[in-house]
């Protein structure tokens, strides 16, 4: 799929903005979710940059009832 002019189909790591657009979750809420992800199950820090692990986050989304 193409989000914001970027093709995301092959990307494993997403920026907060890309994940927000793809999953329909606000950037602020995504940052809160990442802040609570102490075990780094669905995010990765590259320096100070947050990247969302796409497949792990999709699994998380499928398991929760409310975000």
């Amino acid at each position: 799929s193409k989000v914001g002019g970027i093709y995301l189909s092959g990307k494993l790591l997403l920026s907060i903005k890309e994940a927000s657009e793809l999953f329909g979750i606000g950037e602020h809420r995504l940052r809160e979710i990442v802040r609570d992800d102490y075990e780094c199950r669905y995010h990765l820090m590259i320096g100070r940059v947050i990247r969302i692990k796409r497949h792990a986050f999709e699994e998380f989304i499928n398991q929760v009832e409310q975000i």
Side-chain angles (χ1 to χ4, degrees):
S1 67
K2 187 175 181 180
V3 176
I6 301 170
Y7 288 94
L8 300 178
S9 59
K11 292 187 83 170
L12 297 176
L13 300 175
L14 303 173
S15 70
I16 291 287
K17 182 174 182 169
E18 291 168 339
S20 174
E21 293 176 2
L22 183 64
F23 294 110
I25 301 170
E27 291 181 33
H28 181 74
R29 183 65 185 118
L30 276 173
R31 290 181 191 281
E32 290 177 346
I33 292 168
V34 165
R35 188 177 61 234
D36 295 337
D37 181 27
Y38 298 111
E39 297 173 5
C40 297
R41 290 173 292 169
Y42 35 82
H43 84 282
L44 173 71
M45 296 297 296
I46 302 174
R48 296 185 62 195
V49 178
I50 300 169
R51 290 289 180 248
I52 303 296
K53 298 175 185 177
R54 180 180 184 159
H55 297 299
F57 193 72
E58 285 175 354
E59 290 175 13
F60 166 72
I61 291 295
N62 289 331
Q63 292 173 2
V64 296
E65 294 180 13
Q66 181 177 353
I67 292 185

Short mmCIF file of all heavy atoms in Angstrom, two decimals:
data_model
loop_
_atom_site.label_atom_id
_atom_site.label_comp_id
_atom_site.label_asym_id
_atom_site.label_seq_id
_atom_site.Cartn_x
_atom_site.Cartn_y
_atom_site.Cartn_z
N SER A 1 0.84 -1.19 0.00
CA SER A 1 0.00 0.00 0.00
C SER A 1 0.87 1.24 0.00
O SER A 1 2.02 1.20 0.43
CB SER A 1 -0.92 -0.01 1.21
OG SER A 1 -0.19 0.13 2.39
N LYS A 2 0.30 2.31 -0.47
CA LYS A 2 1.04 3.57 -0.55
C LYS A 2 0.42 4.55 0.44
O LYS A 2 -0.76 4.84 0.36
CB LYS A 2 0.96 4.12 -1.97
CG LYS A 2 1.83 5.33 -2.19
CD LYS A 2 1.79 5.74 -3.65
CE LYS A 2 2.68 6.93 -3.89
NZ LYS A 2 2.68 7.37 -5.27
N VAL A 3 1.21 4.99 1.39
CA VAL A 3 0.74 5.94 2.40
C VAL A 3 1.61 7.18 2.34
O VAL A 3 2.82 7.09 2.48
CB VAL A 3 0.80 5.31 3.82
CG1 VAL A 3 0.40 6.33 4.86
CG2 VAL A 3 -0.08 4.08 3.90
N GLY A 4 1.00 8.33 2.14
CA GLY A 4 1.76 9.58 2.11
C GLY A 4 2.85 9.59 1.06
O GLY A 4 3.90 10.19 1.25
N GLY A 5 2.62 8.92 -0.06
CA GLY A 5 3.62 8.90 -1.13
C GLY A 5 4.73 7.89 -0.92
O GLY A 5 5.68 7.84 -1.68
N ILE A 6 4.62 7.06 0.11
CA ILE A 6 5.66 6.08 0.42
C ILE A 6 5.05 4.68 0.31
O ILE A 6 3.97 4.43 0.83
CB ILE A 6 6.21 6.28 1.84
CG1 ILE A 6 6.79 7.68 2.00
CG2 ILE A 6 7.26 5.23 2.18
CD1 ILE A 6 7.13 8.04 3.43
N TYR A 7 5.76 3.78 -0.35
CA TYR A 7 5.30 2.40 -0.43
C TYR A 7 5.75 1.65 0.82
O TYR A 7 6.93 1.59 1.13
CB TYR A 7 5.84 1.71 -1.68
CG TYR A 7 5.17 2.22 -2.94
CD1 TYR A 7 5.71 3.25 -3.68
CD2 TYR A 7 3.96 1.67 -3.35
CE1 TYR A 7 5.08 3.72 -4.82
CE2 TYR A 7 3.32 2.14 -4.48
CZ TYR A 7 3.88 3.15 -5.22
OH TYR A 7 3.24 3.61 -6.33
N LEU A 8 4.79 1.09 1.57
CA LEU A 8 5.10 0.46 2.85
C LEU A 8 5.08 -1.06 2.80
O LEU A 8 5.41 -1.70 3.79
CB LEU A 8 4.07 0.93 3.91
CG LEU A 8 4.02 2.42 4.17
CD1 LEU A 8 2.94 2.73 5.19
CD2 LEU A 8 5.35 2.93 4.65
N SER A 9 4.73 -1.65 1.68
CA SER A 9 4.51 -3.09 1.63
C SER A 9 5.75 -3.88 2.04
O SER A 9 5.63 -4.92 2.68
CB SER A 9 4.06 -3.52 0.23
OG SER A 9 5.03 -3.16 -0.72
N GLY A 10 6.95 -3.42 1.72
CA GLY A 10 8.15 -4.17 2.03
C GLY A 10 8.88 -3.71 3.28
O GLY A 10 9.89 -4.28 3.65
N LYS A 11 8.38 -2.67 3.94
CA LYS A 11 9.09 -2.10 5.08
C LYS A 11 8.81 -2.89 6.35
O LYS A 11 7.67 -3.17 6.67
CB LYS A 11 8.69 -0.64 5.30
CG LYS A 11 9.17 0.28 4.19
CD LYS A 11 8.90 1.71 4.52
CE LYS A 11 9.98 2.24 5.42
NZ LYS A 11 9.92 3.69 5.59
N LEU A 12 9.86 -3.25 7.06
CA LEU A 12 9.73 -3.95 8.34
C LEU A 12 9.63 -2.97 9.50
O LEU A 12 8.96 -3.25 10.50
CB LEU A 12 10.91 -4.89 8.56
CG LEU A 12 11.05 -6.03 7.56
CD1 LEU A 12 12.33 -6.82 7.84
CD2 LEU A 12 9.84 -6.92 7.60
N LEU A 13 10.32 -1.84 9.39
CA LEU A 13 10.32 -0.82 10.43
C LEU A 13 9.64 0.43 9.91
O LEU A 13 9.93 0.90 8.82
CB LEU A 13 11.76 -0.48 10.85
CG LEU A 13 12.59 -1.62 11.42
CD1 LEU A 13 14.02 -1.16 11.66
CD2 LEU A 13 11.98 -2.15 12.70
N LEU A 14 8.71 0.94 10.72
CA LEU A 14 7.96 2.13 10.32
C LEU A 14 8.24 3.29 11.26
O LEU A 14 8.43 3.09 12.46
CB LEU A 14 6.45 1.83 10.38
CG LEU A 14 5.94 0.65 9.56
CD1 LEU A 14 4.47 0.40 9.88
CD2 LEU A 14 6.13 0.90 8.08
N SER A 15 8.24 4.48 10.71
CA SER A 15 8.32 5.67 11.56
C SER A 15 6.99 5.83 12.29
O SER A 15 5.99 5.19 11.94
CB SER A 15 8.61 6.91 10.71
OG SER A 15 7.46 7.23 9.92
N ILE A 16 6.97 6.68 13.28
CA ILE A 16 5.72 6.97 14.00
C ILE A 16 4.67 7.49 13.02
O ILE A 16 3.51 7.06 13.05
CB ILE A 16 5.96 7.99 15.13
CG1 ILE A 16 6.79 7.36 16.25
CG2 ILE A 16 4.65 8.53 15.66
CD1 ILE A 16 6.05 6.35 17.10
N LYS A 17 5.07 8.37 12.14
CA LYS A 17 4.12 8.94 11.17
C LYS A 17 3.58 7.87 10.23
O LYS A 17 2.37 7.81 9.97
CB LYS A 17 4.80 10.05 10.36
CG LYS A 17 3.87 10.72 9.39
CD LYS A 17 4.50 11.90 8.72
CE LYS A 17 3.47 12.54 7.80
NZ LYS A 17 3.86 13.82 7.30
N GLU A 18 4.45 7.01 9.71
CA GLU A 18 4.01 5.94 8.82
C GLU A 18 3.06 4.98 9.53
O GLU A 18 2.02 4.60 8.99
CB GLU A 18 5.21 5.17 8.28
CG GLU A 18 6.07 5.95 7.31
CD GLU A 18 7.39 5.28 7.01
OE1 GLU A 18 7.85 4.43 7.81
OE2 GLU A 18 7.98 5.62 5.96
N ALA A 19 3.42 4.59 10.75
CA ALA A 19 2.58 3.67 11.53
C ALA A 19 1.23 4.32 11.84
O ALA A 19 0.19 3.66 11.77
CB ALA A 19 3.28 3.26 12.81
N SER A 20 1.24 5.60 12.14
CA SER A 20 0.01 6.32 12.43
C SER A 20 -0.93 6.28 11.23
O SER A 20 -2.13 5.99 11.36
CB SER A 20 0.34 7.77 12.79
OG SER A 20 -0.83 8.52 12.94
N GLU A 21 -0.39 6.55 10.06
CA GLU A 21 -1.21 6.57 8.84
C GLU A 21 -1.67 5.16 8.47
O GLU A 21 -2.81 4.96 8.07
CB GLU A 21 -0.44 7.21 7.70
CG GLU A 21 -0.18 8.69 7.91
CD GLU A 21 0.67 9.32 6.83
OE1 GLU A 21 1.05 8.62 5.87
OE2 GLU A 21 0.96 10.52 6.94
N LEU A 22 -0.79 4.18 8.62
CA LEU A 22 -1.12 2.81 8.23
C LEU A 22 -2.16 2.18 9.16
O LEU A 22 -3.11 1.55 8.69
CB LEU A 22 0.15 1.95 8.22
CG LEU A 22 -0.02 0.50 7.78
CD1 LEU A 22 -0.47 0.44 6.32
CD2 LEU A 22 1.27 -0.27 7.95
N PHE A 23 -2.00 2.36 10.46
CA PHE A 23 -2.87 1.70 11.43
C PHE A 23 -4.06 2.57 11.87
O PHE A 23 -4.95 2.09 12.57
CB PHE A 23 -2.08 1.27 12.66
CG PHE A 23 -1.07 0.20 12.37
CD1 PHE A 23 0.28 0.47 12.40
CD2 PHE A 23 -1.49 -1.10 12.07
CE1 PHE A 23 1.21 -0.52 12.12
CE2 PHE A 23 -0.56 -2.09 11.79
CZ PHE A 23 0.79 -1.80 11.82
N GLY A 24 -4.05 3.85 11.51
CA GLY A 24 -5.16 4.73 11.88
C GLY A 24 -5.15 5.09 13.36
O GLY A 24 -6.21 5.28 13.96
N ILE A 25 -3.96 5.16 13.94
CA ILE A 25 -3.79 5.52 15.35
C ILE A 25 -3.00 6.83 15.38
O ILE A 25 -2.02 6.98 14.64
CB ILE A 25 -3.01 4.43 16.11
CG1 ILE A 25 -3.76 3.10 16.03
CG2 ILE A 25 -2.78 4.83 17.56
CD1 ILE A 25 -2.96 1.93 16.54
N GLY A 26 -3.40 7.75 16.22
CA GLY A 26 -2.71 9.04 16.29
C GLY A 26 -1.26 8.92 16.73
O GLY A 26 -0.88 8.00 17.46
N GLU A 27 -0.44 9.83 16.26
CA GLU A 27 0.99 9.82 16.59
C GLU A 27 1.21 9.93 18.09
O GLU A 27 2.08 9.26 18.65
CB GLU A 27 1.72 10.94 15.86
CG GLU A 27 1.80 10.73 14.37
CD GLU A 27 2.55 11.83 13.66
OE1 GLU A 27 3.50 12.40 14.24
OE2 GLU A 27 2.20 12.13 12.50
N HIS A 28 0.43 10.77 18.77
CA HIS A 28 0.57 10.94 20.22
C HIS A 28 0.29 9.63 20.94
O HIS A 28 1.03 9.23 21.84
CB HIS A 28 -0.35 12.05 20.71
CG HIS A 28 -0.24 12.32 22.18
ND1 HIS A 28 0.83 12.97 22.75
CD2 HIS A 28 -1.06 11.98 23.20
CE1 HIS A 28 0.66 13.02 24.06
NE2 HIS A 28 -0.48 12.43 24.36
N ARG A 29 -0.78 8.94 20.54
CA ARG A 29 -1.13 7.66 21.17
C ARG A 29 -0.07 6.61 20.88
O ARG A 29 0.26 5.81 21.76
CB ARG A 29 -2.52 7.20 20.69
CG ARG A 29 -2.97 5.92 21.35
CD ARG A 29 -3.20 6.13 22.86
NE ARG A 29 -3.53 4.88 23.49
CZ ARG A 29 -2.80 4.30 24.45
NH1 ARG A 29 -1.71 4.90 24.91
NH2 ARG A 29 -3.15 3.16 24.96
N LEU A 30 0.48 6.59 19.68
CA LEU A 30 1.56 5.65 19.36
C LEU A 30 2.77 5.87 20.26
O LEU A 30 3.38 4.92 20.74
CB LEU A 30 1.98 5.77 17.90
CG LEU A 30 1.16 4.99 16.89
CD1 LEU A 30 1.58 5.36 15.48
CD2 LEU A 30 1.30 3.51 17.12
N ARG A 31 3.11 7.13 20.49
CA ARG A 31 4.24 7.44 21.37
C ARG A 31 3.97 6.97 22.80
O ARG A 31 4.87 6.49 23.48
CB ARG A 31 4.57 8.93 21.34
CG ARG A 31 5.16 9.36 20.02
CD ARG A 31 5.50 10.85 19.99
NE ARG A 31 5.80 11.29 18.66
CZ ARG A 31 6.96 11.09 18.04
NH1 ARG A 31 7.93 10.47 18.66
NH2 ARG A 31 7.15 11.52 16.81
N GLU A 32 2.72 7.07 23.25
CA GLU A 32 2.36 6.56 24.58
C GLU A 32 2.50 5.05 24.64
O GLU A 32 3.00 4.49 25.62
CB GLU A 32 0.93 6.95 24.93
CG GLU A 32 0.73 8.41 25.20
CD GLU A 32 -0.73 8.76 25.47
OE1 GLU A 32 -1.62 7.92 25.18
OE2 GLU A 32 -0.97 9.88 25.96
N ILE A 33 2.06 4.36 23.60
CA ILE A 33 2.19 2.90 23.53
C ILE A 33 3.65 2.50 23.58
O ILE A 33 4.03 1.58 24.31
CB ILE A 33 1.50 2.36 22.26
CG1 ILE A 33 -0.02 2.56 22.35
CG2 ILE A 33 1.85 0.89 22.03
CD1 ILE A 33 -0.76 2.32 21.05
N VAL A 34 4.48 3.18 22.82
CA VAL A 34 5.93 2.88 22.80
C VAL A 34 6.54 3.14 24.17
O VAL A 34 7.36 2.36 24.65
CB VAL A 34 6.63 3.72 21.70
CG1 VAL A 34 8.13 3.72 21.90
CG2 VAL A 34 6.25 3.20 20.33
N ARG A 35 6.13 4.22 24.82
CA ARG A 35 6.67 4.56 26.14
C ARG A 35 6.37 3.45 27.14
O ARG A 35 7.17 3.17 28.03
CB ARG A 35 6.08 5.88 26.61
CG ARG A 35 6.72 6.41 27.88
CD ARG A 35 6.18 7.76 28.29
NE ARG A 35 4.75 7.70 28.55
CZ ARG A 35 3.85 8.50 27.99
NH1 ARG A 35 4.22 9.42 27.14
NH2 ARG A 35 2.57 8.38 28.28
N ASP A 36 5.24 2.77 26.99
CA ASP A 36 4.86 1.69 27.90
C ASP A 36 5.40 0.32 27.47
O ASP A 36 5.20 -0.66 28.18
CB ASP A 36 3.33 1.60 28.01
CG ASP A 36 2.75 2.85 28.67
OD1 ASP A 36 3.48 3.53 29.41
OD2 ASP A 36 1.56 3.12 28.43
N ASP A 37 6.08 0.25 26.34
CA ASP A 37 6.63 -1.01 25.81
C ASP A 37 8.04 -1.22 26.36
O ASP A 37 9.03 -1.13 25.64
CB ASP A 37 6.63 -0.96 24.28
CG ASP A 37 7.16 -2.22 23.64
OD1 ASP A 37 7.07 -3.30 24.26
OD2 ASP A 37 7.67 -2.13 22.51
N TYR A 38 8.13 -1.55 27.65
CA TYR A 38 9.42 -1.65 28.32
C TYR A 38 10.29 -2.77 27.77
O TYR A 38 11.52 -2.68 27.80
CB TYR A 38 9.22 -1.86 29.83
CG TYR A 38 8.50 -0.72 30.49
CD1 TYR A 38 7.21 -0.89 30.99
CD2 TYR A 38 9.08 0.54 30.61
CE1 TYR A 38 6.52 0.17 31.58
CE2 TYR A 38 8.41 1.59 31.21
CZ TYR A 38 7.13 1.39 31.69
OH TYR A 38 6.47 2.44 32.28
N GLU A 39 9.69 -3.82 27.26
CA GLU A 39 10.46 -4.96 26.76
C GLU A 39 10.81 -4.81 25.28
O GLU A 39 11.37 -5.73 24.69
CB GLU A 39 9.66 -6.24 26.98
CG GLU A 39 9.42 -6.53 28.45
CD GLU A 39 8.49 -7.71 28.67
OE1 GLU A 39 8.10 -8.37 27.69
OE2 GLU A 39 8.17 -7.98 29.84
N CYS A 40 10.49 -3.69 24.69
CA CYS A 40 10.76 -3.42 23.27
C CYS A 40 10.21 -4.51 22.37
O CYS A 40 10.85 -4.95 21.43
CB CYS A 40 12.27 -3.23 23.03
SG CYS A 40 12.95 -1.81 23.89
N ARG A 41 9.00 -4.95 22.69
CA ARG A 41 8.37 -6.00 21.89
C ARG A 41 7.99 -5.51 20.50
O ARG A 41 8.09 -6.25 19.53
CB ARG A 41 7.13 -6.55 22.60
CG ARG A 41 7.47 -7.36 23.84
CD ARG A 41 6.21 -7.71 24.59
NE ARG A 41 5.65 -6.46 25.12
CZ ARG A 41 4.45 -6.33 25.65
NH1 ARG A 41 3.66 -7.37 25.70
NH2 ARG A 41 4.03 -5.18 26.13
N TYR A 42 7.52 -4.28 20.41
CA TYR A 42 7.07 -3.79 19.10
C TYR A 42 7.64 -2.42 18.72
O TYR A 42 7.10 -1.75 17.86
CB TYR A 42 5.53 -3.77 19.01
CG TYR A 42 4.82 -3.44 20.28
CD1 TYR A 42 4.65 -2.12 20.69
CD2 TYR A 42 4.33 -4.45 21.09
CE1 TYR A 42 4.01 -1.83 21.87
CE2 TYR A 42 3.69 -4.16 22.28
CZ TYR A 42 3.53 -2.86 22.66
OH TYR A 42 2.89 -2.56 23.84
N HIS A 43 8.73 -2.05 19.36
CA HIS A 43 9.43 -0.86 18.88
C HIS A 43 10.94 -1.05 19.01
O HIS A 43 11.41 -1.90 19.73
CB HIS A 43 8.97 0.40 19.60
CG HIS A 43 9.65 0.66 20.90
ND1 HIS A 43 9.33 0.00 22.06
CD2 HIS A 43 10.65 1.52 21.21
CE1 HIS A 43 10.10 0.45 23.05
NE2 HIS A 43 10.91 1.37 22.56
N LEU A 44 11.67 -0.24 18.26
CA LEU A 44 13.12 -0.28 18.22
C LEU A 44 13.62 1.17 18.23
O LEU A 44 13.05 2.02 17.55
CB LEU A 44 13.57 -0.98 16.93
CG LEU A 44 15.05 -1.00 16.59
CD1 LEU A 44 15.78 -1.93 17.54
CD2 LEU A 44 15.24 -1.47 15.16
N MET A 45 14.62 1.43 19.03
CA MET A 45 15.23 2.76 19.03
C MET A 45 16.49 2.72 18.18
O MET A 45 17.36 1.88 18.39
CB MET A 45 15.58 3.19 20.45
CG MET A 45 14.39 3.37 21.37
SD MET A 45 13.26 4.68 20.85
CE MET A 45 14.28 6.13 20.99
N ILE A 46 16.59 3.62 17.23
CA ILE A 46 17.81 3.78 16.43
C ILE A 46 18.33 5.16 16.81
O ILE A 46 17.85 6.17 16.31
CB ILE A 46 17.53 3.67 14.93
CG1 ILE A 46 16.89 2.32 14.61
CG2 ILE A 46 18.82 3.87 14.13
CD1 ILE A 46 16.45 2.16 13.17
N GLY A 47 19.28 5.18 17.76
CA GLY A 47 19.68 6.44 18.36
C GLY A 47 18.50 6.96 19.16
O GLY A 47 17.98 6.29 20.03
N ARG A 48 18.03 8.15 18.81
CA ARG A 48 16.84 8.72 19.48
C ARG A 48 15.59 8.58 18.64
O ARG A 48 14.53 9.08 19.00
CB ARG A 48 17.10 10.19 19.78
CG ARG A 48 18.25 10.40 20.77
CD ARG A 48 18.40 11.84 21.14
NE ARG A 48 17.18 12.31 21.81
CZ ARG A 48 16.89 13.58 22.00
NH1 ARG A 48 17.70 14.51 21.57
NH2 ARG A 48 15.78 13.94 22.61
N VAL A 49 15.72 7.90 17.50
CA VAL A 49 14.60 7.75 16.57
C VAL A 49 13.83 6.47 16.88
O VAL A 49 14.41 5.40 17.03
CB VAL A 49 15.11 7.72 15.11
CG1 VAL A 49 13.96 7.51 14.14
CG2 VAL A 49 15.86 9.00 14.79
N ILE A 50 12.50 6.59 16.98
CA ILE A 50 11.64 5.45 17.25
C ILE A 50 11.22 4.81 15.94
O ILE A 50 10.80 5.50 15.00
CB ILE A 50 10.36 5.89 18.00
CG1 ILE A 50 10.70 6.54 19.32
CG2 ILE A 50 9.40 4.71 18.18
CD1 ILE A 50 9.52 7.24 19.98
N ARG A 51 11.34 3.49 15.86
CA ARG A 51 10.82 2.73 14.73
C ARG A 51 9.87 1.67 15.27
O ARG A 51 10.17 1.02 16.27
CB ARG A 51 11.94 2.07 13.92
CG ARG A 51 12.78 3.06 13.15
CD ARG A 51 12.00 3.65 12.00
NE ARG A 51 12.77 4.59 11.23
CZ ARG A 51 12.52 5.89 11.18
NH1 ARG A 51 11.55 6.40 11.89
NH2 ARG A 51 13.24 6.69 10.45
N ILE A 52 8.74 1.51 14.61
CA ILE A 52 7.76 0.51 14.99
C ILE A 52 8.05 -0.78 14.23
O ILE A 52 8.18 -0.75 13.00
CB ILE A 52 6.31 0.99 14.66
CG1 ILE A 52 6.01 2.33 15.34
CG2 ILE A 52 5.29 -0.07 15.02
CD1 ILE A 52 5.99 2.29 16.83
N LYS A 53 8.16 -1.89 14.96
CA LYS A 53 8.34 -3.20 14.33
C LYS A 53 6.98 -3.61 13.77
O LYS A 53 6.07 -3.98 14.51
CB LYS A 53 8.82 -4.23 15.35
CG LYS A 53 10.16 -3.89 15.97
CD LYS A 53 10.49 -4.89 17.06
CE LYS A 53 11.77 -4.53 17.78
NZ LYS A 53 12.05 -5.46 18.89
N ARG A 54 6.86 -3.54 12.48
CA ARG A 54 5.56 -3.66 11.84
C ARG A 54 4.82 -4.95 12.19
O ARG A 54 3.67 -4.92 12.62
CB ARG A 54 5.74 -3.56 10.33
CG ARG A 54 4.45 -3.67 9.58
CD ARG A 54 4.68 -3.58 8.11
NE ARG A 54 3.41 -3.59 7.41
CZ ARG A 54 3.26 -3.13 6.19
NH1 ARG A 54 4.27 -2.61 5.55
NH2 ARG A 54 2.09 -3.18 5.62
N HIS A 55 5.46 -6.09 12.00
CA HIS A 55 4.76 -7.36 12.22
C HIS A 55 4.41 -7.57 13.69
O HIS A 55 3.31 -8.02 14.01
CB HIS A 55 5.60 -8.53 11.68
CG HIS A 55 5.80 -8.45 10.20
ND1 HIS A 55 4.76 -8.46 9.29
CD2 HIS A 55 6.94 -8.33 9.45
CE1 HIS A 55 5.25 -8.36 8.06
NE2 HIS A 55 6.56 -8.27 8.14
N ALA A 56 5.33 -7.23 14.59
CA ALA A 56 5.06 -7.37 16.02
C ALA A 56 3.93 -6.43 16.44
O ALA A 56 3.07 -6.80 17.25
CB ALA A 56 6.32 -7.08 16.83
N PHE A 57 3.90 -5.22 15.88
CA PHE A 57 2.84 -4.27 16.23
C PHE A 57 1.49 -4.73 15.68
O PHE A 57 0.46 -4.59 16.34
CB PHE A 57 3.18 -2.86 15.73
CG PHE A 57 2.30 -1.80 16.33
CD1 PHE A 57 2.45 -1.43 17.66
CD2 PHE A 57 1.31 -1.19 15.58
CE1 PHE A 57 1.63 -0.46 18.23
CE2 PHE A 57 0.49 -0.23 16.14
CZ PHE A 57 0.65 0.14 17.46
N GLU A 58 1.50 -5.33 14.48
CA GLU A 58 0.26 -5.88 13.92
C GLU A 58 -0.29 -6.97 14.83
O GLU A 58 -1.50 -7.03 15.07
CB GLU A 58 0.51 -6.43 12.52
CG GLU A 58 0.67 -5.37 11.46
CD GLU A 58 1.02 -5.93 10.09
OE1 GLU A 58 1.27 -7.14 9.97
OE2 GLU A 58 1.05 -5.14 9.14
N GLU A 59 0.58 -7.83 15.35
CA GLU A 59 0.16 -8.88 16.27
C GLU A 59 -0.41 -8.27 17.55
O GLU A 59 -1.43 -8.72 18.07
CB GLU A 59 1.31 -9.82 16.60
CG GLU A 59 1.74 -10.69 15.44
CD GLU A 59 2.95 -11.53 15.76
OE1 GLU A 59 3.34 -11.64 16.94
OE2 GLU A 59 3.52 -12.10 14.80
N PHE A 60 0.25 -7.23 18.06
CA PHE A 60 -0.24 -6.53 19.25
C PHE A 60 -1.64 -5.97 19.00
O PHE A 60 -2.55 -6.14 19.81
CB PHE A 60 0.75 -5.41 19.62
CG PHE A 60 0.20 -4.41 20.60
CD1 PHE A 60 0.03 -4.75 21.93
CD2 PHE A 60 -0.13 -3.13 20.19
CE1 PHE A 60 -0.47 -3.82 22.86
CE2 PHE A 60 -0.62 -2.19 21.09
CZ PHE A 60 -0.80 -2.56 22.42
N ILE A 61 -1.83 -5.32 17.85
CA ILE A 61 -3.12 -4.72 17.50
C ILE A 61 -4.20 -5.81 17.44
O ILE A 61 -5.33 -5.61 17.89
CB ILE A 61 -3.03 -3.99 16.15
CG1 ILE A 61 -2.14 -2.75 16.26
CG2 ILE A 61 -4.41 -3.62 15.62
CD1 ILE A 61 -2.69 -1.68 17.16
N ASN A 62 -3.87 -6.96 16.90
CA ASN A 62 -4.84 -8.05 16.77
C ASN A 62 -5.25 -8.64 18.13
O ASN A 62 -6.32 -9.22 18.24
CB ASN A 62 -4.29 -9.16 15.87
CG ASN A 62 -4.23 -8.75 14.42
OD1 ASN A 62 -5.02 -7.93 13.97
ND2 ASN A 62 -3.29 -9.31 13.69
N GLN A 63 -4.40 -8.48 19.15
CA GLN A 63 -4.67 -9.09 20.45
C GLN A 63 -5.41 -8.18 21.41
O GLN A 63 -6.10 -8.66 22.32
CB GLN A 63 -3.36 -9.54 21.10
CG GLN A 63 -2.69 -10.69 20.37
CD GLN A 63 -1.32 -11.01 20.92
OE1 GLN A 63 -0.87 -10.40 21.88
NE2 GLN A 63 -0.65 -11.97 20.31
N VAL A 64 -5.30 -6.87 21.25
CA VAL A 64 -5.90 -5.96 22.22
C VAL A 64 -7.34 -5.61 21.81
O VAL A 64 -7.69 -5.66 20.63
CB VAL A 64 -5.07 -4.66 22.38
CG1 VAL A 64 -3.71 -4.97 22.96
CG2 VAL A 64 -4.95 -3.90 21.09
N GLU A 65 -8.14 -5.26 22.79
CA GLU A 65 -9.52 -4.87 22.53
C GLU A 65 -9.68 -3.36 22.47
O GLU A 65 -10.62 -2.85 21.89
CB GLU A 65 -10.44 -5.44 23.62
CG GLU A 65 -10.50 -6.94 23.60
CD GLU A 65 -11.42 -7.48 24.68
OE1 GLU A 65 -12.18 -6.70 25.27
OE2 GLU A 65 -11.37 -8.69 24.92
N GLN A 66 -8.76 -2.65 23.13
CA GLN A 66 -8.87 -1.19 23.18
C GLN A 66 -7.48 -0.59 23.22
O GLN A 66 -6.57 -1.13 23.83
CB GLN A 66 -9.63 -0.79 24.44
CG GLN A 66 -9.83 0.69 24.59
CD GLN A 66 -10.65 1.02 25.81
OE1 GLN A 66 -11.18 0.14 26.48
NE2 GLN A 66 -10.76 2.29 26.13
N ILE A 67 -7.32 0.55 22.56
CA ILE A 67 -6.04 1.24 22.56
C ILE A 67 -6.25 2.62 23.13
O ILE A 67 -7.15 3.31 22.79
CB ILE A 67 -5.42 1.33 21.15
CG1 ILE A 67 -5.03 -0.05 20.68
CG2 ILE A 67 -4.25 2.26 21.11
CD1 ILE A 67 -4.32 -0.09 19.38
#
